[in-house]
Structure formats: C-alpha cells, structure tokens
Amino acid sequence: MSNNPTSNFQDVPWKHRFFSSMIGFAVNFSRRSDGTINRYIMNLFDFKAPPSQQLFDGVKTSDTVVDATRNLYFRLFLPSLNQDDDVPVIVYFHGGGFAYLSASSIPCDDFCRRLCKKTGAVIISVNYRLAPEHKYPSQYDDGFDVLKFIDDKANTKNLPFNVNLKQCFIAGDSAGGNLAHHMAVKACEYGLRNVKLIGLIAIQPFFGGEERTESETRIVDAPILSVKGTDWLWKAFLPEGSDRNHPACNVFGPKSVHDISRLKFPATMVVVGGFDPMHDWQIRYYEGLKKCGKEACLIEYPHAFHTFYGVPELKETCLLMEAVKGFIERLINLNKEGCS
C-alpha cells in the first residue's frame, strides 16, 4: 500500500477541500490548552441546515425534541414514499469525535439526506451532547434514550404510518459508528418492545487503544483526522484517569466488559478506508465480531481517507451508497423470510 497520506484527497473538488480546511482550522483553533473547546469560535464555522417541511431533492425533514434540558432531539428525514410498501428505519449517529458537529450541521444533514433518498428509508439522526463538556457516558445515554423514545408507540406520531420498526437499522460514521455499536449492545441487553434492530452500519467507526497500530504509525498526518487529533478526542471524551483501553474505545480489548457472543447482535457492515489512521482498529473490530460468532461483512476502499463519504463526487462514495442500499435490502428480505 502506498505511503501517500493524501490518497484520493487530491480528487476532492476544491469547494469541499476549502470547506474541510475551514473546519480543520476551526477545530484546531478552538481547542484550548486546558483540554476544553471554545464553542463560540467553533460555531462560527459549523454552519447549520434548518429543517425543511417542503420536499428538497426528494426528502423533507423535521426536528423532534426528546429532552429540551440537554438539547436532545433527532432530525427526521422522510423520503418520497410509496404508501403500499413497508419503510425501514435507520437510527443514525453523526461523527465528530464525540466533540464536534450536530444533527443539523450541514455535512451531517447532507449525508443523511442523500442516504435517505438512496435507500428509501426513514432516517432518525440523533443530536447528542458533546465532549468535553459532557464526557462518557453522556453520548451513550442520549443515544439510547432516543431508541427508547421511538420504542414507545405514543412518540411515533410523526412517523409515516407504513414505517416498520421491525426493520430497524442502527448506523453511524466515525464516532457515530462507535455509538452505533454500543447502542446495539445496549438494545440487546435491554430488550426493546417495538423496535427490532436487524442491521448495524459502521462507517469508518472511531475505535482505538493504547497500542499504536501500523496504520497509526504510517498515516500520522492524514487529511481530516490525524493521530494527534484522535488522541486529543479520546482524552476529551473518556472519563478522567482513563486510558485508550477503556471499553468505550477498545471494545474487544483487555478491559472489555461486554461479551457479545451471548447477545443476539445484529448483522454488521463495517466500512474502512485504506488511508484512515484508524484503519487497523476498524479491521480489529470486524475481526472481533467474527470471533464472537456474529455476522459481519467488511467493505474496504483502499484509497479512501477518513470521512470520504462527505464528498458525493468521489466514486467510493457512490459505491458506499450502493453497498448500504444492498445491505439493507438483503437483511429486510432475510427478515421477511424468517417471519414467513
């Protein structure tokens, strides 16, 4: 594999590179020496997309408040629906290292809108609290509270009548992929009544550990996310005094507290990029699922950098959308056969 850390980043259109550079500048400039974040500076660069009740590119959106005291809400993405068909649901968690972005941030809103249009699924994009103001397990608590919220039929009046909560997928990118895994574990242990998770989609999930892997050593200064940046984010997120072998970070590591081999864990799609410093940790996650006897498939794009899916013009992004659509359709068909 080439050692060029920019990989296909040079293929990114100038407007996306400019936007990424602005976000990168804001992230670096907003980090204080005491480990906190200057939210005023960050918010100047974190542009928001308002919800749109009118169809825009085949999708309309709205926000539903779950708990106003902690700004816990979800953005609902509704595709143009064929009312004769059941519609699956994707509960989505955005990336940002647990510390940045929101469900209404333009990159997150845009990706979920494209995913909604491509898959025809209703998407529930969760807005959770951010570190370091709110450390672990705040993000996990918020995510699972949303799952429990939609599990209560009294709270689903804003969903189309033909949405099928028994065809529910949990998904996320980067830190959101980490969240998706832990939400699936919680759901298996809790026992939801109306929501049935049949698939997990982890797009370049944010995992790590104390050990330095080959990809972290080789791809130190990758575009978008560096090893130094991941170290800072883990310190901001994890409890005081924790190291990166904390089970939130290193899920199959020496301090792991969950044996998922005993759980009815959903089939999982793991997406990795060859020029992501976390590549090797993501591969270990996939291998850990397989060792626990769980159904898992690995989708690898050798030349892709972290968050490549935010650039719709890249061929890898198009391939990813097709792969997600195929994964969803396959599991829905299997689920129907199992219920017949």
Side-chain angles (χ1 to χ4, degrees):
M1 186 178 289
S2 168
N3 289 321
N4 175 15
T6 61
S7 182
N8 63 343
F9 194 66
Q10 61 264 30
D11 298 329
V12 174
W14 71 267
K15 64 178 181 179
H16 289 288
R17 278 186 284 172
F18 177 72
F19 183 76
S20 296
S21 297
M22 280 203 312
I23 291 293
F25 170 81
V27 166
N28 292 327
F29 195 66
S30 67
R31 290 175 181 167
R32 298 189 179 105
S33 58
D34 62 359
T36 61
I37 294 174
N38 186 323
R39 292 293 176 191
Y40 175 78
I41 290 176
M42 189 61 214
N43 289 338
L44 292 175
F45 296 87
D46 184 10
F47 302 111
K48 308 294 185 182
S52 173
Q53 288 288 348
Q54 302 298 317
L55 277 175
F56 175 69
D57 200 20
V59 177
K60 60 182 179 179
T61 61
S62 62
D63 292 341
T64 298
V65 175
V66 176
D67 184 349
T69 64
R70 46 182 158 146
N71 196 30
L72 178 59
Y73 70 89
F74 60 83
R75 177 154 292 183
L76 185 67
F77 294 79
L78 298 177
S80 298
L81 298 172
N82 182 342
Q83 296 191 352
D84 295 329
D85 297 330
D86 280 352
V87 179
V89 178
I90 301 174
V91 179
Y92 199 88
F93 296 93
H94 68 80
F98 302 106
Y100 295 101
L101 303 178
S102 70
S104 63
S105 295
I106 285 179
C108 308
D109 181 90
D110 178 65
F111 180 75
C112 284
R113 186 178 295 275
R114 288 187 283 117
L115 188 62
C116 177
K117 182 179 179 181
K118 182 66 178 181
T119 63
V122 166
I123 295 181
I124 292 171
S125 180
V126 180
N127 190 74
Y128 51 85
R129 287 172 290 176
L130 299 177
E133 297 91 335
H134 305 282
K135 287 180 172 284
Y136 168 92
S138 298
Q139 294 75 7
Y140 296 174
D141 292 341
D142 289 353
F144 199 61
D145 282 348
V146 169
L147 277 180
K148 290 187 290 185
F149 183 86
I150 64 172
D151 192 51
D152 185 345
K153 288 186 175 180
N155 297 323
T156 58
K157 58 183 180 296
N158 290 335
L159 298 179
F161 75 93
N162 54 340
V163 162
N164 190 345
L165 292 176
K166 302 298 183 185
Q167 296 177 356
C168 186
F169 294 79
I170 194 160
D173 68 282
S174 195
N178 177 301
L179 272 163
H181 167 81
H182 288 285
M183 292 305 97
V185 172
K186 281 179 171 285
C188 290
E189 294 178 335
Y190 180 83
L192 299 170
R193 294 170 297 171
N194 299 304
V195 171
K196 180 182 178 182
L197 297 181
I198 64 173
L200 191 160
I201 303 163
I203 304 173
Q204 295 184 294
F206 190 34
F207 296 119
E210 280 298 296
E211 175 192 348
R212 282 292 184 227
T213 64
E214 190 277 336
S215 63
E216 288 176 307
T217 302
R218 174 171 50 86
I219 315 171
V220 176
D221 294 313
I224 309 299
L225 187 65
S226 66
V227 173
K228 184 179 179 181
T230 63
D231 287 353
W232 192 96
L233 290 167
W234 284 124
K235 188 174 181 179
F237 168 66
L238 295 172
E240 294 293 339
S242 300
D243 62 24
R244 293 189 303 274
N245 281 332
H246 188 283
C249 176
N250 193 349
V251 295
F252 295 119
K255 298 180 182 179
S256 177
V257 295
H258 293 289
D259 177 14
I260 69 167
S261 61
R262 61 182 176 82
L263 301 178
K264 194 175 180 181
F265 199 79
T268 303
M269 172 182 174
V270 184
V271 179
V272 305
F275 288 93
D276 184 346
M278 293 181 292
H279 171 275
D280 292 355
W281 287 113
Q282 294 156 4
I283 295 292
R284 290 188 188 187
Y285 173 62
Y286 163 76
E287 292 172 344
L289 293 174
K290 299 292 283 186
K291 287 178 182 177
C292 290
K294 303 307 170 187
E295 180 184 346
C297 64
L298 180 68
I299 307 294
E300 184 164 12
Y301 302 109
H303 302 291
F305 55 88
H306 195 71
T307 70
F308 72 92
Y309 44 84
V311 184
E313 293 87 350
L314 290 177
K315 66 177 183 180
E316 288 88 351
T317 302
C318 298
L319 292 171
L320 171 64
M321 289 293 185
E322 289 292 343
V324 171
K325 180 181 179 182
F327 180 75
I328 289 173
E329 291 175 348
R330 181 177 68 82
L331 290 180
I332 287 175
N333 289 332
L334 286 174
N335 192 56
K336 288 178 179 178
E337 292 172 6
C339 296
S340 60

